[in-house]
Amino acid sequence: MENIQKEKEKRRREYDQQRQTVFILKKSLKDYHNRVEQLENPFFEKQYSNTTIFKTLSGKVVLSAVAINAMNFVVKLVGWIYSGSSSLFSEAVHSFADTINQLILAFGLHQSLKRPNSEHPYGYSNMTYITSLISGVGIFCFGTGLSWYHGITGLFDPHPIESLSWALVLLIGSAFSESGTLAMAYLDTKQNAKKLGLSFWDYVVQGYKPSVNVVLLEDMAAVLGVVIAASCMTITYYTGNPIADCVGSLLVGAVMGGVASFIIYTNTTALVGK
């Protein structure tokens, strides 16, 4: 049995190495193909200079996410002030972190569209990976850390929840708005995965469009976070036990930590692979 396990582990490592090699080759071929097309196009410089973040689908997805998350932050912050819920506070932190991170992504997209020059003959496309990596680190350090801190302090100094109905209405409204950008990111990812002959999740894991991937994952986490916060707030309100609400804050932090770790891993892999 021990030899069989060793053989399975060996084959698993070989399979992972093959997948990584295929990923690197695909990325290299894609970059080479794009560069050849650009060099063969006599109007390349003119077309490149006319491209802005507002004209790309990725840019529209990211900028829409910035606007919606900023609005949701204000809504959730008002809800937290009226209800005093730890879970809702974590959701407000979540939306604030998403807003800042997506502004960073927008900056990366803007930089990635800069025209290649003698120092950077292949352009600045890697800026999207760098800013996505920074975004993941920001979510983990700020979003997860603050949510856990508030959840833990809430366990030691619990407060009752007030105005549950208003808090739930605000959460449901934010969930609908988050679903809008989630749908945009999902459709963009699905279309591009189909073009490359990849499954949806393979495309996400391999990080072909990191900025859209971050929006997709953050919005998925946001919708899940709303469900967790609403459930824990309701339990606390009807049972009178504040522990459930504090646990909700910790769970929202854990969701953000998981998403952040995945973003950091995929973008690090893509950058090292390049």
Side-chain angles (χ1 to χ4, degrees):
M1 288 294 294
E2 185 178 349
N3 290 333
I4 293 174
Q5 286 297 116
K6 287 182 179 179
E7 184 64 25
K8 285 183 178 179
E9 182 64 23
K10 180 183 176 183
R11 291 187 179 183
R12 187 188 65 79
R13 286 197 299 268
E14 290 175 349
Y15 176 72
D16 289 342
Q17 290 174 355
Q18 289 174 355
R19 280 176 59 88
Q20 180 64 21
T21 302
V22 170
F23 168 67
I24 293 170
L25 286 173
K26 282 183 176 180
K27 294 290 291 181
S28 299
L29 286 171
K30 180 185 174 185
D31 290 342
Y32 176 76
H33 176 70
N34 289 340
R35 184 58 182 165
V36 168
E37 283 188 342
Q38 292 166 358
L39 293 174
E40 290 177 348
N41 185 355
F43 303 103
F44 164 63
E45 288 198 3
K46 182 179 178 181
Q47 291 178 351
Y48 215 103
S49 62
N50 288 335
T51 303
T52 67
I53 187 174
F54 300 101
K55 295 181 180 179
T56 64
L57 184 55
S58 298
K60 291 175 182 177
V61 170
V62 172
L63 292 174
S64 298
V66 169
I68 288 174
N69 277 300
M71 179 186 67
N72 285 340
F73 165 66
V74 175
V75 168
K76 291 173 182 176
L77 185 64
V78 171
W80 169 65
I81 292 171
Y82 276 95
S83 68
S85 167
S86 294
S87 296
L88 196 52
F89 174 82
S90 293
E91 272 302 294
V93 170
H94 191 170
S95 292
F96 180 75
D98 286 353
T99 303
I100 298 301
N101 289 325
Q102 283 153 10
L103 284 171
I104 295 171
L105 294 178
F107 172 76
L109 276 172
H110 173 71
Q111 291 294 107
S112 71
L113 296 174
K114 289 171 65 176
R115 187 168 58 246
N117 52 44
S118 58
E119 293 183 358
H120 298 276
Y122 289 94
Y124 295 80
S125 61
N126 277 355
M127 280 298 296
T128 56
Y129 292 96
I130 294 169
T131 51
S132 296
L133 180 60
I134 294 171
S135 178
V137 174
I139 295 170
F140 191 88
C141 295
F142 178 78
T144 302
L146 198 54
S147 295
W148 282 353
Y149 170 79
H150 198 74
I152 292 170
T153 54
L155 290 172
F156 289 101
D157 185 23
H159 296 282
I161 292 179
E162 301 174 1
S163 305
L164 177 68
S165 57
W166 277 108
L168 290 179
V169 168
L170 294 175
L171 278 176
I172 291 170
S174 68
F176 275 110
S177 61
E178 296 278 8
S179 299
T181 50
L182 175 59
M184 290 175 64
Y186 173 79
L187 291 173
D188 184 37
T189 302
K190 186 177 180 181
Q191 289 173 2
N192 285 289
K194 188 176 181 181
K195 289 178 183 177
L196 295 175
L198 296 172
S199 68
F200 180 84
W201 286 112
D202 279 343
Y203 183 86
V204 172
V205 170
Q206 293 180 20
Y208 280 95
K209 292 183 78 173
S211 299
V212 176
N213 285 352
V214 171
V215 173
L216 175 74
L217 295 168
E218 285 182 345
D219 284 347
M220 288 176 64
V223 173
L224 179 58
V226 166
V227 173
I228 292 171
S231 301
C232 292
M233 286 169 59
T234 303
I235 292 171
T236 291
Y237 185 80
Y238 285 106
T239 63
N241 187 347
I243 292 178
D245 186 42
C246 297
V247 169
S249 181
L250 296 173
L251 289 175
V252 171
V255 170
M256 284 192 279
V259 168
S261 299
F262 183 79
I263 291 171
I264 292 168
Y265 169 76
T266 53
N267 284 283
T268 302
T269 302
L271 285 169
V272 172
K274 283 174 174 282

